Structures are given as C-alpha cells and as structure tokens.
Amino acid sequence: MKNLSVWIVIGMLLGAAIGGFLHPVLSESTAQVVVSQYLSILTDLFLRAIKMIIAPLVFCGLVSGVANLQDTHAIGRMGLRALAWFLCASFISLLIGILACNLLDLGGEMASHLPVAAESSGINVAPFNLKSFITNIIPQSVISAMASNDILQIVLFALLFGIATAAVGGPLKVRILELTDAVFDIMLKLTGYIMWLAPLGVGAALCSIVTTRGLGVLATYGKLLGGYYFALFLLALLLIGAGRVILGPRVFHLLRLIRDPLLIGFSTSSSEATFPKTIEQLQRFGVSRRVSGFVLPLGYSFNLDGAMLYQAFAVIFIAQAFHIDMTFTQQVGVLLVMLLTSKGMAGVPRASLVVVAASLPSLGLPASGLLLLLGIDPFFDMGRTAINVLGNSIATASVAKWEGDRGAETEPAPPVGRPAGPHIEPLSNA
C-alpha cells in the first residue's frame, strides 16, 4: 500500500482533532457510550483482522524455516544468539528506566495526587508461579493456542512440527513445505489488504483516548510523560546504535522499512497489530524466512524492551511518590526478578500494568500507587509498544546477519525469479 505512513499520520491527526472537539462537548457518560459503542468498532475491526492472521503466519513461517535447515545445530545457535540479545537489551532497558526516574525524581511532585493507600487499582493479578510458567509453554491443544494467539505455545509446536517434518523427509516433506510456503505467501498478501484498515483503526483509537481523557491529562502529567519519553528516546538511540555496529549503514534502511509498523504500534498500542507488517518488511530488508519466522515470534515473548523500561520506570516512580527510599542495589535486584516475572505474563492484555501490580506488594509499596498511572496509561502504552517493535526488528535483523543471511549484510539485488526454499521474492506495496 503506497504512502501508508502518510495515511496513518493523517488518521492519527484527524482522530486526535475529533477527540479534542468531542471531549468538551460530551458528558463523561455520553463520551463513554460513544467510545465503547461507536469509535471502538473501527479499532476492533482492524485489531481482530490482524490477529486472525498471526497464528498461520507464525506457524507456517517457522515450520518452513526449520524444515529447510540443513544444519540441525542452526536452531540451537539461532536460539542462543536471540536469547543473548534479548537478555542484554532487557537489562539495558530496565537500567535506563531506573536511572531516568532516579535522576528526574518524577514521583516527588505527586503528593497532591496520591490515592488512598487501601484503594484498589482494579487490576487482578496472581503471584508468579514458575511451575505454571514452564508447564504453560506446552499447549494442551494447538487449536486453543492458535485461537488465543499464544505466541510462545505456537512457536514451540511449530518448532517441533518443523523438526519432525525435516526428519520425515522425502515427498511428504516436500508437500508440507509447498503448503506452508503457499499459506505464508497468501497471509502476506492478505496483510497488504488489511493494512487498508490501518488509518481508520489508528485514528479511531486516538479519537477514543482523547474523547474520554481529554488533552488536559497531558498537561497534568506533562513532566512525567516527558521524562518517560525521554528515557524511551535514549533506549531507541542505544538500540539503533547497536544495530549500526552490527548491520552497518543499512540499519537506517531498516528504520525506513519499519516506519509503518512503528506508527501502527504507537497509535494502536498493540504489538500484535504490528507483527504481520513487521515480518513482511524484514523480508524486504533481506532477512530470510527461517530467521524472521523463528526470532521475531520469540521476541514478542522475551524482548519487549519498551515494556521493560516502563516497568522499571513505574515502580521507581511509585516508590518516590510515597516517599519510600530504596537503595540502588535493591532496585536492580528487584527489577531483575521482574524481568523473569514479565515472561510469565507476556500474553496478558496490558501485561506491563499487570507485572507492575504484581511487583508492588513484594516491594512494600501500596498497590493503589498504580492508580497514579492508570489515567494516562494509554499514552505510556503507545510509546512502549513502538519501542517493542523497534527492538524486535533490530534484534531479528542482527541475528540474521550473524547467521550469514546475505540480504541482511548487503542490499539485495532485484529478484530474477522466485527463489527456492524458504525465501520469497520481495512483495510490492499493496
């Protein structure tokens, strides 16, 4: 779709402008009805359309990539490289969140906004359970996993299915690969059609936020949001810098390719909504299907850099607001535990809020502190989702470079014909 970025920006601006007009005109109850019954229709249609193609994209891409691997050690090597990147990026994200909130002392000015300590945040959480986390990686039903878009469960099943397909070999392997390659290509074409809904979906999403919250919330929490986005900006620079070291000048070409997923993630606050377009743009960049189909889904469970920064930022902010002193060593120790806790909640809607809510009691902080952030969480969520997309895109392209993908090293030549195996020729803009 040509000029998709332009249409998305137009949709965002129109959505914000219409919301700014409706907020002072409508009463609070009327605004809620307008958002829940009318504006949400467009956003829900777009998000549901995107979600319906995620499972086949993940499954077919990963099966095709794994079954085509000649080197059985490549799976483990890719996994270790990806997890090493994820661990380093998550640690840096947490550290930036801690340092930014400590240096700016953003919570110190919130005394007048403090909620009653016993007040409930309204977010139900269960304590992290290592047994449940490990056992839930294996789906009881692959149909259920695909229906709920549980990325980690789909990845595990697709990985095992791909290994089994490679082991069977012969005509059966060829037929399975022809099928998965065909479905994958069709899903990418369908992605192009669905992207026509993006400007409407993102515009309605922003209109909903501004209609119910109003632009005034930005003035009340301006310094907090400014500090948060400054921290996100620093993290983005570090991620791009790491990409520059590994990918060279082509990292800027990658940034141009993923601007549409970044805008979609920012405006819808949904990482899932960005997945199909991101994997398509990574293939345009030259990342092979075997790498993108393996690393990117893992990143959606283990490499949410923006969410990591937010969790650190939110906990330190709440501690400051309630004047609870924490040593830097305590902060780092507890937040590293949060790094593990977040993996068990990766598939939960607004998972970052759930992780923060689950961590507050263990820190001796009142759970009601989360109420300080709930009112403007949509604006937090927009930023952290965009950074999640950026981090996962650079991580996938970097692993592809380490794996020797020629397209990730140099500008790919124009395709002469349809490549064999897991590669596909770049798609034209729909």
Side-chain angles (χ1 to χ4, degrees):
M1 179 178 180
K2 294 183 178 180
N3 300 320
L4 178 62
S5 299
V6 175
W7 285 107
I8 290 175
V9 171
I10 291 174
M12 292 170 63
L13 294 176
L14 285 176
I18 294 172
F21 170 77
L22 292 177
H23 178 71
V25 174
L26 303 177
S27 64
E28 182 177 350
S29 58
T30 305
Q32 293 289 348
V33 171
V34 169
V35 168
S36 62
Q37 295 188 10
Y38 299 104
L39 289 176
S40 61
I41 293 176
L42 293 174
T43 303
D44 289 346
L45 284 175
F46 173 64
L47 294 180
R48 289 173 73 91
I50 287 291
K51 290 179 180 180
M52 76 178 179
I53 62 176
I54 288 177
L57 265 177
V58 173
F59 177 76
C60 293
L62 190 50
V63 169
S64 177
V66 171
N68 272 294
L69 287 175
Q70 302 298 322
D71 181 8
T72 55
H73 297 292
I75 299 174
R77 185 178 65 243
M78 271 196 296
L80 288 175
R81 284 172 169 170
L83 290 176
W85 176 287
F86 298 164
L87 179 62
C88 292
S90 295
F91 178 80
I92 292 172
S93 301
L94 287 167
L95 196 58
I96 290 177
I98 295 172
L99 292 175
C101 209
N102 276 296
L103 290 176
L104 298 174
D105 190 24
L106 296 168
E109 302 178 7
M110 296 301 295
S112 61
H113 299 279
L114 287 180
V116 178
E119 193 171 350
S120 171
S121 64
I123 296 179
N124 297 320
V125 299
F128 176 74
N129 186 296
L130 183 61
K131 176 185 175 182
S132 297
F133 171 58
I134 294 175
T135 55
N136 284 337
I137 294 176
I138 301 178
Q140 296 188 64
S141 165
V142 66
I143 303 300
S144 175
M146 290 186 173
S148 60
N149 276 337
D150 192 316
I151 298 296
L152 204 53
Q153 292 185 356
I154 297 172
V155 166
L156 178 64
F157 178 76
L159 183 63
L160 296 176
F161 191 91
I163 293 173
T165 301
V168 169
L172 183 59
K173 172 184 172 181
V174 173
R175 289 198 294 270
I176 292 295
L177 289 180
E178 287 177 347
L179 177 62
T180 54
D181 285 350
V183 172
F184 190 89
D185 291 350
I186 291 171
M187 288 299 106
L188 285 184
K189 177 60 69 174
L190 184 57
T191 297
Y193 299 150
I194 292 174
M195 284 302 112
W196 284 97
L197 292 174
L200 294 175
V202 301
L206 271 184
C207 186
S208 299
I209 294 172
V210 178
T211 298
T212 54
R213 308 284 184 182
L215 295 173
V217 70
L218 294 179
T220 304
Y221 286 86
K223 184 177 179 181
L224 174 60
L225 285 168
Y228 171 71
Y229 274 90
F230 175 72
L232 286 179
F233 177 73
L234 291 180
L235 177 56
L237 288 181
L238 286 175
L239 291 171
I240 294 170
R244 176 66 173 83
V245 170
I246 297 170
L247 301 172
R250 294 204 68 227
V251 70
F252 301 109
H253 176 53
L254 176 64
L255 294 178
R256 288 193 296 273
L257 287 174
I258 64 170
R259 61 189 176 190
D260 289 349
L262 286 173
L263 286 171
I264 292 170
F266 179 81
S267 51
T268 65
S269 302
S270 172
S271 295
E272 284 184 332
T274 67
F275 181 85
K277 191 65 176 178
T278 302
I279 203 165
E280 177 185 347
Q281 296 301 81
L282 285 171
Q283 289 197 127
R284 292 180 190 277
F285 181 71
V287 177
S288 67
R289 187 179 303 177
R290 71 182 183 93
V291 177
S292 63
F294 181 75
V295 177
L296 191 61
L298 283 181
Y300 275 72
S301 293
F302 292 102
N303 190 45
L304 302 177
D305 300 327
M308 293 288 102
L309 186 148
Y310 171 78
Q311 291 161 24
F313 194 93
V315 168
I316 303 304
F317 170 78
I318 292 171
Q320 291 173 345
F322 283 89
H323 305 292
I324 298 175
D325 293 327
M326 298 174 61
T327 66
F328 184 74
T329 302
Q330 289 174 324
Q331 294 174 22
V332 172
V334 172
L335 293 174
L336 287 178
V337 173
M338 288 175 57
L339 175 62
L340 175 62
T341 305
S342 65
K343 309 311 177 191
M345 299 181 180
V348 178
R350 301 177 81 184
S352 295
L353 281 177
V354 176
V355 172
V356 173
S359 304
L360 291 178
S362 64
L363 295 172
L365 300 174
S368 60
L370 198 60
L371 294 173
L372 291 171
L373 304 173
L374 281 178
I376 55 170
D377 184 69
F379 298 100
F380 285 120
D381 204 6
M382 294 160 71
R384 64 182 180 242
T385 303
I387 296 298
N388 291 343
V389 175
L390 175 67
N392 280 322
S393 299
I394 294 177
T396 304
S398 298
V399 173
K401 175 70 178 291
W402 292 331
E403 286 292 307
D405 271 11
R406 287 177 298 174
E409 297 173 359
T410 58
E411 195 72 38
V416 177
R418 179 178 175 83
H423 300 276
I424 63 171
E425 70 180 274
L427 301 174
S428 60
N429 282 326

